[in-house]
Amino acid sequence: MLEPARSAGRRERIALVLAGGGARGAYEVGVLAALAPALAARGEQPDIIIGTSIGALNGAFIASRAHEPLEQTATDGVEMWRELRFSDALRPLVSPSELGRLLGAAATLARLPGADLHGLLDPSPLFGTLERVVDFKRLARNVEDGTLTTAAVVATAYSTTRSVVFHHGGPPLGLDLARAIDYIATPLAPEHVLASAAIPGAFPAVEIKRPREANGWYGDGGVRLNAPLKPALELGADRVVVIGLNSSLTADEAPARPDAIDGAAQLLQVVLGDQIADDVATLAAVNETLVPTGSSAGRARSRHAGRRTIPYIFIAPSDRLAIGRLARDVYKRHYAGIGGLLRNTDLALLGRIVSAERNAIHGELLSYLFLAREFIEELIALGRRDGERWLEQRHDAGLWQVGRLPAVKTATRPVRARRRTGKARAPRAARA
């Protein structure tokens, strides 16, 4: 988790690390809207932007506007999400094309000759949406003129099942055999972002032809590397801002006997949520071993030559089901019943397919494709609140944490003492 020490006089590079999670990505722009003014006040802004899945789309959007003030980019990101609709990402569920997919699925199950099913859903509108919201030529110029150090997205190669980091800018990197990560230097294009967001099974694989050494079929980067913290460090980050879309904290709820949908949602939580929390916890634990007594937590150097701490900001929902509850409640208020079908047939059908009204775990599964205006507004507001909560708390070095975050309880049982003081206990060495 550690990098060579900084060169004397060089400004610290800040990486913005954006996790994947489908329609839940609206949460990320809400967090950024809260953080941007505080970062700007300190003269800090992202130099490295890397994302997976929907984090790749958000990251490309932010990277294409890196020449603008971060606050303005965050504001524009919020407005971009507010304008997104189901039809901007997917073709209608009730349509001739989807009927053809269902027939194709049936033919595949029946093993009929020539039957083939590339994906359960048709995300073809997403290409046009991506080209509309992201200026890839401007993104490339931002890297080439030094406005950004690096812009990167993560996908998974079907041929090897390895994570592939497509990055424009940054140091030359090759293979990380220990972590099954390949680094491919290339200007980013729409197909790299679309590949990063191609959910296996649900969306068709995306073919990437450039550069030649990366030619092949790719799917969602979140399969192996949903929150690319390690690649951010390899690309030269001195500090990291990590925004997650899943929490590893468990809500104090006693669900009924789980069904198949509960199982699918729990699997997604384990894959997408626990990974990022574990990576941040590991980073913080290593930081604590490197903070010498009496040093400044923000710029501490280790006793070990060539080692340093990596201050971080880590913001994610308060517990595993925070977003699932929002999705369930929004669905019940606006899309359940006949009225919901009349309001938006696709969103109403999605909720019925996963039985979203049943509980927050079913709402969790719905949330990945629930591009409803009301849900997006709730996600932006939640992200903003969580970002503001981080700013209100006391950390080791201003906005930045160095050691491990104190253990907290979930939103169902808040820690009242901490809410009164707004303080987070810093590592002893950092407080010295």
Side-chain angles (χ1 to χ4, degrees):
M1 280 289 186
L2 299 172
E3 299 296 313
R6 291 180 291 271
S7 301
R10 177 172 69 77
R11 181 172 67 87
E12 290 185 317
R13 291 174 180 161
I14 298 173
L16 177 61
V17 181
L18 301 170
R24 303 151 72 95
Y27 175 91
E28 293 176 337
V29 296
V31 170
L32 193 61
L35 287 183
L39 290 171
R42 296 167 56 95
E44 296 173 332
Q45 63 182 25
D47 302 282
I48 299 165
I49 299 176
I50 181 169
T52 298
S53 194
I54 197 62
L57 190 153
N58 279 338
F61 175 86
I62 295 165
S64 70
R65 294 165 179 257
H67 57 290
E68 300 175 355
L70 184 60
E71 292 177 80
Q72 184 60 52
T73 298
T75 298
D76 291 344
V78 167
E79 291 308 311
M80 181 266 287
W81 269 96
R82 283 175 171 160
E83 293 174 2
L84 284 179
R85 296 295 179 264
F86 185 90
S87 59
D88 292 317
L90 296 166
R91 292 215 180 275
L93 296 180
V94 180
S95 65
S97 63
E98 282 305 313
L99 177 59
R101 287 176 182 273
L102 290 175
L103 293 175
T108 299
L109 291 174
R111 298 184 179 180
L112 296 179
D116 198 1
L117 180 65
H118 298 295
L120 294 174
L121 300 172
D122 182 357
S124 54
L126 192 54
F127 181 85
T129 300
L130 184 60
E131 288 202 314
R132 173 168 54 83
V133 301
V134 176
D135 184 343
F136 282 91
K137 291 182 179 179
R138 179 73 251 193
L139 190 161
R141 286 202 300 274
N142 285 341
V143 175
E144 291 160 3
D145 67 14
T147 302
L148 274 181
T149 302
T150 312
V153 302
V154 182
T156 303
Y158 272 92
S159 60
T160 63
T161 71
R162 293 170 63 87
S163 297
V164 179
V165 179
F166 294 99
H167 64 99
H168 190 185
L173 299 169
L175 306 181
D176 185 336
L177 297 177
R179 295 174 179 81
I181 302 173
D182 300 335
Y183 293 87
I184 302 292
T186 180
L188 297 185
E191 56 264 29
H192 299 119
V193 177
L194 293 172
S196 181
I199 303 170
F203 295 172
V206 174
E207 185 177 17
I208 291 177
K209 298 180 179 180
R210 296 175 298 167
R212 182 176 298 177
E213 64 268 26
N215 188 14
W217 294 93
Y218 291 82
D220 199 311
V223 172
R224 293 187 61 100
L225 195 59
N226 191 51
L229 177 55
K230 175 59 179 176
L233 301 181
E234 291 288 343
L235 290 166
D238 300 302
R239 295 171 179 258
V240 291
V241 178
V242 183
I243 304 178
L245 297 176
N246 302 74
S247 171
S248 65
L249 299 177
T250 303
D252 297 332
E253 294 186 10
R257 180 180 179 180
D259 59 15
I261 293 175
D262 294 322
Q266 294 286 13
L267 178 61
L268 280 173
Q269 280 284 5
V270 170
V271 171
L272 303 182
D274 292 348
Q275 179 192 105
I276 183 173
D278 290 345
D279 286 350
V280 172
T282 299
L283 173 67
V286 173
N287 280 348
E288 286 183 340
T289 69
L290 300 180
V291 179
T293 303
S295 69
S296 166
R299 291 179 173 270
R301 295 291 182 88
S302 167
R303 296 183 299 273
H304 308 288
R307 300 298 190 184
R308 59 180 172 75
T309 57
I310 306 289
Y312 67 92
I313 294 172
F314 174 43
I315 300 174
S318 57
D319 68 72
R320 285 185 185 271
L321 300 181
I323 292 180
R325 292 189 197 97
L326 287 181
R328 175 200 61 192
D329 293 345
V330 168
Y331 177 77
K332 288 173 68 174
R333 288 198 306 268
H334 299 283
Y335 297 96
I338 299 300
L341 285 168
L342 296 175
R343 181 173 289 108
N344 189 300
T345 303
D346 294 312
L347 297 176
L349 285 176
L350 274 178
R352 283 158 174 75
I353 291 169
V354 300
S355 302
E357 287 185 273
R358 180 179 177 183
N359 57 39
I361 298 177
H362 284 231
E364 186 79 8
L365 198 57
L366 172 65
S367 71
Y368 289 89
L369 296 174
F370 196 31
L371 283 165
R373 175 179 54 82
E374 301 87 354
F375 181 52
I376 288 171
E377 288 290 349
E378 294 277 6
L379 284 173
I380 292 169
L382 177 63
R384 195 185 294 271
R385 288 195 301 272
D386 287 349
E388 291 170 348
R389 185 177 299 114
W390 179 276
L391 297 176
E392 291 166 358
Q393 293 171 342
R394 183 174 179 179
H395 298 290
D396 298 334
L399 301 181
W400 302 90
Q401 184 72 7
V402 176
R404 281 168 285 197
L405 291 166
V408 296
K409 297 182 180 180
T410 64
T412 54
R413 292 185 183 179
V415 184
R416 292 185 176 84
R418 184 174 172 192
R419 286 199 172 186
R420 286 199 303 269
T421 63
K423 295 181 179 180
R425 184 174 176 80
R428 182 173 299 176
R431 298 197 307 272

